[in-house]
Amino acid sequence: MNAPAYEALPARVVFGAGSVARLAEETDHAGLRRVLVLCTPTQRGLAGHATAILGERAVGVFEQARMHVPLATISDALVVAAELGADGCVAAGGGSTIGLAKALSLRAGLPYVALPTTYAGSEMTPIWGLTEDFRKLTGRDRSVLPRAVVYDPELTATVPAATAVTSGLNAIAHAVEALYAPDSSPPIAAMAERGIRDLVEALPVLGTGTPDAATRATALQGAWLCGTCLGATTMGLHHKVCHVLGGLLDLPHAETHAAMLPHVAAFNLPAAPDAAAAVRRALNAPDAAAALSKLVTESGAPSSLAELGVRRSQLRAVAEETLITPYANPRPINRQDLLHLLEKAWSGTPA
C-alpha cells in the first residue's frame, strides 16, 4: 500500500507590496541584534536599502556572494561575520546570496532572514549546496531554513527580464520533480500544480522586462509554492544533472535548469503518469514535455547546453559524475540513456 507522508517544514512568510518595511521587525522577531547583510556585487543598492531599514541592527555588508557558493566565499564571509560580531544575517538577493546565508547557517549557526528578489524559491528549502574543487556538494538540513522570508513584489521591479524568466523556470523544475518524487503527497501535488500554473501565467509578462505589480506578485507566489515542494521532497535526476553541470563546469544555475527542464521531463514523465497529468493541467497542454520546450523557447531562456558554453566533448564527464551518486528517480537511467539525454539538451533538440 502506498501511504505517502507529508511533513510540513517550519516557515514564517511575510508577503505583499511594501513588506520590506517590516525587515527590522522580522529580524527582531528572529532574535537577531547584530545583522550582517549579504548580497552579490550587483545587489549593493538593495543591501544599502536593507541596511537603512535595519538601522543600528546592521553591523556591515558582505557583497561577495557568488553562484554555486564556493568554499572560499564561505570562509571569507565567516571571517567578516566574526570580526563584526554578527549574530545573524539578512540575505538580500537571489539564489547565490540565499545559498551563502544557508552555508553560514550550516557552518557557523548564524540564523538569517531572506529577502528574495528572484523567482527560484530556494529560500523555502532546507537544501544547501557549496562548491569545492569543481564538485558541487549538496545536503538537506533544517538548520539552513530562514527564520523568516519577506516577499516584496516591489523589490523585483528592476530584475532583468532574463534573470526573472530563468529563475521562474528553475522554480518550475522544482515543482515538476516534486510531482514524481518518491515521497510526494497530495498536498505537495496541489502546491506544485498551482505553483507551475502561477509561473506559467507570469513568465510571458516577466519576459517583456516591464511586468506589472500583479504579475510580479503572482510569480513570487509561484516561487514560494514551488520552493516549498522541493523542500519537502527528494530530488531526482534533474537536480543531480544540474548540480553536476554547475559544479563541474561552473554554469549559471537558473539557466542550466531552464535548458535541462524539458529533456528530463520528457525522460521521466512517461514513467509517472499522475505527475504528467498534473503538469499538463498546469500548462493547459496535451503534451507536458513539448509544452515545457515551447515555454523555455518562447520565454527567451537558453534552450541548449551549447548556448551556455558546454562543449560536446564534456558531456561524457558530466554523465560519469552524475552516475557516481545518482539521486532517486521514477525511471532507471543508465550511461547510454543519460548520454542520449545530454546530447539532446546540448543541441537543444525539442523534447
Side-chain angles (χ1 to χ4, degrees):
M1 176 183 177
N2 181 24
Y6 171 63
E7 185 173 357
L9 296 173
R12 178 177 173 85
V13 176
V14 178
F15 192 103
S19 56
V20 67
R22 290 182 52 177
L23 182 59
E25 179 184 338
E26 290 305 313
T27 57
D28 287 347
H29 187 271
L32 307 181
R33 300 293 179 264
R34 297 181 58 81
V35 177
L36 177 63
V37 179
L38 309 174
C39 67
T40 61
T42 59
Q43 289 280 24
R44 188 61 178 82
L46 174 61
H49 183 40
T51 299
I53 295 171
L54 291 167
E56 62 184 13
R57 301 169 185 81
V59 295
V61 174
F62 181 85
E63 58 181 57
Q64 298 303 317
R66 264 206 65 199
M67 182 175 65
H68 303 308
V69 198
L71 190 60
T73 302
I74 300 169
S75 299
D76 291 345
L78 286 173
V79 169
V80 172
E83 289 176 347
L84 296 174
D87 64 0
C89 302
V90 164
S96 297
T97 304
I98 290 165
L100 177 58
K102 288 182 176 184
L104 299 184
S105 183
L106 184 71
R107 292 292 181 97
L110 289 174
Y112 70 99
V113 172
L115 194 62
T117 59
T118 60
Y119 304 109
S122 62
E123 62 280 349
M124 297 306 298
T125 83
I127 298 166
W128 56 266
L130 60 88
T131 303
E132 181 179 12
D133 297 330
F134 302 103
R135 177 170 287 178
K136 188 160 186 177
L137 309 174
T138 63
R140 187 180 291 261
D141 194 309
R142 284 191 174 209
S143 70
V144 307
L145 287 167
R147 294 291 178 87
V149 179
V150 179
Y151 283 119
D152 188 339
E154 293 181 358
L155 298 182
T156 65
T158 58
V159 173
T163 301
V165 165
T166 55
S167 64
L169 289 166
N170 185 6
I172 289 174
H174 299 335
V176 171
E177 194 143 89
L179 282 165
Y180 57 63
D183 46 2
S184 191
S185 61
I188 290 299
M191 286 189 282
E193 187 171 336
R194 176 58 187 269
I196 295 171
R197 185 179 295 117
D198 284 344
L199 284 161
V200 168
E201 175 187 332
L203 279 174
V205 185
L206 295 177
T208 67
T210 55
D212 57 52
T215 297
R216 298 196 307 272
T218 297
L220 277 179
Q221 177 177 284
W224 174 5
L225 292 171
C226 292
T228 300
C229 293
L230 176 66
T233 55
T234 301
M235 292 183 292
L237 176 64
H238 175 94
H239 282 83
K240 179 63 179 183
V241 171
C242 290
H243 291 162
V244 170
L245 286 164
L248 194 63
L249 305 180
D250 198 31
L251 297 191
H253 182 78
E255 289 86 341
T256 303
H257 278 271
M260 290 302 307
L261 171 59
H263 302 284
V264 181
F267 181 83
N268 275 336
L269 288 178
D274 289 344
V279 177
R280 288 195 301 269
R281 288 193 299 269
L283 295 169
N284 191 27
D287 185 316
L292 289 170
S293 281
K294 183 179 179 183
L295 179 65
V296 170
T297 302
E298 293 185 349
S299 297
S303 58
S304 73
L305 294 179
E307 287 181 64
L308 301 179
V310 178
R311 299 190 304 274
R312 190 177 185 184
S313 60
Q314 294 174 311
L315 298 181
R316 188 166 296 276
V318 172
E320 296 294 338
E321 182 72 16
T322 299
L323 293 171
I324 290 174
T325 53
Y327 290 178
N329 204 56
R331 181 179 172 186
I333 189 164
N334 57 34
R335 185 173 285 98
Q336 183 178 350
D337 289 337
L338 183 53
L339 281 170
H340 180 63
L341 189 158
L342 288 169
E343 286 274 359
K344 292 181 71 174
W346 178 80
S347 65
T349 303

